[in-house]
Amino acid sequence: MAKDYYDILGVDKKASADDIKSAYRRMAKKYHPDVYATASDKEKAEAEEKFKDVQHAYAVLSDPQKKAAYDQYGSEEGPQFAGGGGAGFNPFGGGSGFGDIFSDIFSAFSGGGSSRNPNAPRMGDDIEVEVTLNFKEACFGVKKEITFNRIEKCSTCNGTGAKDASSVKICTKCGGRGRVTVQQRTMLGVMQTEKVCDMCGGSGKIITDSCPDCRGKGRVRKQRTVTIPIPAGVDNGQMLTVRNEGNAGYNGGENGNLIVVFRVRPHSMFVRNGNDLKLDLPITITQAVFGDNIEIPTLDKPVRIEIPAGTKNGTVLKVKGKGVKDLRRNSYGDLMITIKVDVPKNLSLKQRKELRQYFEDLDKNAQYDEVEKYQKKLRNIE
Ligand SMILES: [Zn+2]
Ligand SMILES: [Zn+2]
């Protein structure tokens, strides 16, 4: 059977173009390969399949012509004859005036357009939760307890919605079949079609007394706590899908997923840039001129770095492998240290006098690369 594009995107048939668009974004995000970076191969393959379905469904539903054809015939390629005709068989070449007549016939074939079985298993809805991590938790990974509310099958009635076994009766209208036969007059003669029984909604059963705990719904909202391992290297805004932890499915369908969205608190010193970390390191003029060997913090233990003599303001020094672990591979980013040369303030009169004298003498025969480069450009300015 053809896939239901509306189901795939999780929208109603009456959804507007904007609704369809935002549903597409949501679903594409959900099944995006990035999200499954740390999942098993089987989960990856399933997500990839769903991702493709979502893209195809959106390609059809976002195109007004294809959408109209799909709404009318259940296929973006026009009418499909059950049991005959290949895919894409369209006797009208599209866009003739027969649309309405044929839509009547086809709706008769398909039982009033609602051929979907209401008793078919359907996956439950996803739940999105936000989890805040501190900077190091995101860098090193952590186990987090997450508490959220979800819909579960009512344990009192085991999801039936009935008070007890004796309050479940066979539907009198359909005799328990869940479907009723109706006759419809069409261009091609009288057609017998099956429709979902409107009395029992297709379940074939009528419940006389409801379960008191779920008031007949078969489903209850419950608080749940799960502990999830968060891999090292997650960044702000990234998502992790925990399969099967979402709302209960319908008619025995599987649970939806729990989608965890990470918020990562900033660090007081490090700024993250992909897997690299950035650190601003202020040094004195003396350190800049003469060089120094100093200790700097990293995510784990401090390391010593060499500041070469003559280090200029803005110089970036790299400490390899002291960044953040890659989410997918066992490799690490680097720590990028930007040198900020500080200038002394509040000098005494005596210090200022002595320093000025000293520097003015120095400047006469010292080498200032950047100043000279700039002066040269200035002389040749166009
Ligand atoms: Zn119940
Ligand atoms: Zn019935």
Side-chain angles (χ1 to χ4, degrees), residues 96-109:
S96 71
F98 295 104
D100 288 344
I101 301 167
F102 279 90
S103 83
D104 285 348
I105 297 169
F106 285 102
S107 73
F109 270 125

Side-chain angles (χ1 to χ4, degrees), residues 5 21 27 30 55 60 64 154 156 161 165 188 195 200 203-204 239 272 335 348 351 356-357:
Y5 297 146
K21 198 183 207 170
M27 299 307 271
K30 181 172 147 190
Q55 286 183 312
V60 173
C154 173
T156 312
L188 306 182
K195 273 190 171 174
C200 60
S203 67
M239 294 188 285
R272 195 165 157 180
L335 176 58
S348 70
Q351 283 173 321
R356 177 175 281 275
Q357 184 63 55

